[in-house]
Amino acid sequence: MTQFHLILLMFFLFISGCAQKISPINTENTQHSNLFEEHSVWQVQGKLAFISPKERQSANFNWQFDNAKQHLILTSFIGTRLLELIEHQNHSELIYDGKAYLDDNSSALIKRLSGFTLPMSQAPLWLTATVESDANEYDTQQRLVSTTWVDPQGQVWHAKYQKYSLHRQMWLPSRMILTHKNLSIKIQLNTWQF
């Protein structure tokens, strides 16, 4: 059961210092945001490492976004499926160890199973570096490098974008760190598909 809670915690933090906005959003940022607005279906694959003061866990992920519905699969490095989250039209489903857990939405499902409240509805924004926040910081190419925001439950989240890769003439995140209190999630985004 402890492993189940750790896997859920790793997933929850995946799905969810003050920065200063040093440059305004320009045309390049607008084009980046428009890429995701134009494509209602996309997929990204990669790796993540969950780091807490007491433990470190790693997993591969395949995350699909299809018309505002998310589908996430976490697997071990040898390919064993750890868990799967599927957002359906009227409910969300979390499959772990052959058992399915249902709720009205992903955030409610996660809260019911783990006690954590997570910014599930904002996950596509921070993953794609399209978060809108007064705390956004941009580099000289107008790529988001750092942001801090407060989710609907009042939790403070911070994302730092360490590396971008060029895809379809657009810069997309390829390495980032997501933090909440004393927990860090290192995320490597290997393959984007539209």
Side-chain angles (χ1 to χ4, degrees), residues 16-49:
S16 307
C18 292
Q20 167 181 327
K21 189 172 182 179
I22 59 174
S23 55
I25 296 176
N26 71 5
T27 306
E28 289 178 30
N29 278 110
T30 304
Q31 289 173 351
H32 177 77
S33 297
N34 288 343
L35 176 67
F36 292 101
E37 290 173 8
E38 291 169 9
H39 296 279
S40 61
V41 178
W42 51 265
Q43 177 178 346
V44 63
Q45 296 174 334
K47 299 176 181 180
L48 63 87

Side-chain angles (χ1 to χ4, degrees), residues 17-21 133-137 146-149 156-158:
C18 292
Q20 167 181 327
K21 189 172 182 179
S133 169
D134 290 337
N136 285 3
E137 275 189 43
S146 179
T147 187
T148 300
W149 74 97
V156 178
W157 298 84
H158 181 73

Side-chain angles (χ1 to χ4, degrees), residues 97-115:
D97 199 22
K99 296 179 183 176
Y101 303 88
L102 308 177
D103 212 308
D104 291 341
N105 62 58
S106 297
S107 293
L109 178 60
I110 290 167
K111 183 171 175 101
R112 181 167 58 86
L113 292 176
S114 71

Side-chain angles (χ1 to χ4, degrees), residues 53-101:
K54 295 181 180 179
E55 263 186 278
R56 179 184 179 111
Q57 294 288 328
S58 301
N60 293 320
F61 68 85
N62 182 331
W63 187 13
Q64 299 171 25
F65 187 77
D66 188 346
N67 295 304
K69 298 296 179 193
Q70 301 175 72
H71 183 187
L72 177 67
I73 299 171
L74 291 182
T75 59
S76 70
F77 289 106
I78 59 171
T80 305
R81 186 171 291 198
L82 302 173
L83 63 83
E84 179 176 13
L85 174 73
I86 307 164
E87 292 182 344
H88 299 285
Q89 187 65 31
N90 298 313
H91 69 281
S92 292
E93 178 180 11
L94 180 67
I95 302 168
Y96 172 75
D97 199 22
K99 296 179 183 176
Y101 303 88

Side-chain angles (χ1 to χ4, degrees), residues 6 15 29 31 37 67 84 106 141 160 176 181 185:
L6 183 58
I15 304 298
N29 278 110
Q31 289 173 351
E37 290 173 8
N67 295 304
E84 179 176 13
S106 297
Q141 294 179 284
K160 185 172 185 176
M176 65 178 291
K181 296 185 179 178
I185 310 293

Side-chain angles (χ1 to χ4, degrees), residues 1-10 13 48-58 182-186:
M1 195 59 143
T2 301
Q3 182 183 12
F4 173 70
H5 286 110
L6 183 58
I7 290 170
L8 280 178
L9 179 62
M10 177 176 60
L13 291 174
L48 63 87
F50 167 77
I51 303 164
S52 72
K54 295 181 180 179
E55 263 186 278
R56 179 184 179 111
Q57 294 288 328
S58 301
N182 63 347
L183 301 168
S184 297
I185 310 293
K186 291 185 177 181

